[in-house]
């Protein structure tokens, strides 16, 4: 008959316990039959007890101590340690199971760590800001984009309420709404941080275990530049429509007047035709400047790169405006450094830059004023300045002065024939030459427009 032990118990310990029982029973029988005396029986029992204690310590106590110490090490996170117990009893089986468990834990932790690092790498490489919140609305994770946008640190904001991290009630309202309704929400908000920005927020709730909410992930997309471009596009259409409508309305009115009988009066007809001619020239100039600006912005202009003598260009441009300056009694002067070096560029485009700057300076400088053109070498670049003693530009208009169709004084600009694209053309031409254009101005005292061009011998790309 086959003896079946309960699952997990081997036959070796059962046989050893049965063998010990037989030994003690035999000793009792020998003592009862007076074959062994009391001292002899005690000597045999002590010897067997010492042997049994040694066996118990070697087979049970020592392995259990090792198992206990290893378990403590594993609890501290040291999963590389393994038990060196190879016996075929329950303790050996326990040691093998613990070793297998440690291996499985190492593999699981390695997989989790790899997934966490992969998720962190994805977050770090995203161009949009990401904020993860728990079900209470406290910050769990932010990516580097959020750190840079709001000057934050992951360690400082972790565990804080979102309102303590991004001080904006609209953001908190959107996130609470997403947490409460457990539905994705997308809205635009304006956040006043280090500088005003417009963000497109997309909040997506996370499902937790069971029916519990698991927090929310917020994606912040900076749409500030896009909104600025939309505004500029709207202003561009409005400005172009206005600039075209004014001369067209004027021309149409004079044509109708001529058709109604004014054509019979030669003096009146000639006066109307002269006005119509000026308005037509204005329309032509507007269309030409718009087409030229469009070509520059879309990089469809073919540059004729060559060494350019700035001194020659400056003198030619100044000679063009001498009669106009003389008529207004404006002192038009030139101050150039000796041996001004050549620069790489397109001579026609650089001449256009100077024409636009000097034209504005002469136009907006009152009679008996002063316009000065300077050029000098500064380290590895040439700096050209056009300074006037004109009406100046308000401080609030300086950041936008190089935008197309932007005019600081709209009434005076229109009166002088300005259409607001000259400085935009200047900006794009100088950028195409690898330089930079700047402006300084004080209302009532004048303006200083300057641009720099590199001195390197290679043509800009």
């Amino acid at each position: 008959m086959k003896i079946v032990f309960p699952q997990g118990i081997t036959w070796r310990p059962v046989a050893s316990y049965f063998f010990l029982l037989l030994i003690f029973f035999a000793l009792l029988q020998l003592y009862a039959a007076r074959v062994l005396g009391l001292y002899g029986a005690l000597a045999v029992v002590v010897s067997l007890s010492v042997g049994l204690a040694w066996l118990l310590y070697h087979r049970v106590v020592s392995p259990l101590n090792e198992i206990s110490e290893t378990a403590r090490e594993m609890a501290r996170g040291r999963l590389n340690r393994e038990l060196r117990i190879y016996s075929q009893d329950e303790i050996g089986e326990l040691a093998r199971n613990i070793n297998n468990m440690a291996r499985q834990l190492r593999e699981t932790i390695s997989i989790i760590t790899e997934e966490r690092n992969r998720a962190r790498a994805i977050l770090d490489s995203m161009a949009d800001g990401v904020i993860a919140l728990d079900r209470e609305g406290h910050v769990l994770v932010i990516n580097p984009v959020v750190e840079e946008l709001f000057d934050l640190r992951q360690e400082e904001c972790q565990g804080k309420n979102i309102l303590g991290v991004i001080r904006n009630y609209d953001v908190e309202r959107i996130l609470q709404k997403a947490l409460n309704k457990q539905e994705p929400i997308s809205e635009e908000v304006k956040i006043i941080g280090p500088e005003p920005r417009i963000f497109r927020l997309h909040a997506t709730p996370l499902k937790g275990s069971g029916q519990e909410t698991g927090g929310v992930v917020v994606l912040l997309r900076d749409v500030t530049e896009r909104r600025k471009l939309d505004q500029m596009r709207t202003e561009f259409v409005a400005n172009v429509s206005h600039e075209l409508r004014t001369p067209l309305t004027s021309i149409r009115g004079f044509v109708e007047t001529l058709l109604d009988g004014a054509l019979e009066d030669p003096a009146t007809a000639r006066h109307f035709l002269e006005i119509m001619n000026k308005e037509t020239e204005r329309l032509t100039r507007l269309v030409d400047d718009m087409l030229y600006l469009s070509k520059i912005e879309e990089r469809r202009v073919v540059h004729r790169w060559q060494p350019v003598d700035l001194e020659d260009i400056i003198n030619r441009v100044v000679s063009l405006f001498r009669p106009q300056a003389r008529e207004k009694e404006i002192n038009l002067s030139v101050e150039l450094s000796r041996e001004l070096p050549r620069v790489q560029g397109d001579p026609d485009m650089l001449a256009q830059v100077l024409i636009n700057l000097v034209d504005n300076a002469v136009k907006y400088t009152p009679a008996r004023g002063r316009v000065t053109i300077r050029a000098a070498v500064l380290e590895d670049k040439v700096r050209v300045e056009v300074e006037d003693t004109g009406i100046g530009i308000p401080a609030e208009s300086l950041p936008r002065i190089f935008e197309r169709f932007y005019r600081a004084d709209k009434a005076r600009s229109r009166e002088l024939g300005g259409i607001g694209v000259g400085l935009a053309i200047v900006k794009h031409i100088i950028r195409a030459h690898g330089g930079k254009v700047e402006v300084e101005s004080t209302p009532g005292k004048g303006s200083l427009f300057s641009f720099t061009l590199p001195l390197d011998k290679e043509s800009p790309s």
Side-chain angles (χ1 to χ4, degrees), residues 180-192:
N180 295 335
K181 291 191 174 183
Q182 287 296 293
E183 294 177 356
I185 296 177
S186 183
E187 288 187 25
E188 278 190 10
V189 297
K190 186 175 183 179
I191 299 178
I192 309 297

Side-chain angles (χ1 to χ4, degrees), residues 79 101-113:
L79 300 177
M101 180 185 68
R103 295 190 194 102
Q104 291 294 329
L105 283 174
R106 286 198 299 270
E107 292 178 5
T108 303
I109 291 174
S110 177
I111 293 172
I112 292 173
T113 303

Side-chain angles (χ1 to χ4, degrees), residues 308-314 335-345 350 353-354 373-386 430 433-438 449-457:
V308 177
D309 186 350
L310 281 178
E311 182 176 354
D312 179 60
I313 291 179
I314 292 172
E335 299 176 4
L336 304 179
S337 297
R338 293 183 178 180
E339 298 181 359
L340 196 65
R342 293 173 177 264
V343 296
Q344 282 288 335
L350 292 178
V353 168
L354 282 168
I373 298 96
R374 303 186 186 90
V377 178
L378 298 177
E379 297 179 353
D380 60 344
K381 63 187 69 173
V382 174
R383 178 183 173 90
V384 180
E385 299 177 352
V386 178
I430 295 301
H433 283 72
K436 183 179 180 182
V437 61
E438 297 175 329
F449 284 86
S450 64
F451 62 87
T452 57
L453 297 172
L455 284 177
D456 55 342
K457 297 182 180 180

Side-chain angles (χ1 to χ4, degrees), residues 363-376:
K363 279 182 180 179
Y364 293 102
T365 299
R368 292 179 293 278
R370 185 177 68 255
V371 175
T372 307
I373 298 96
R374 303 186 186 90

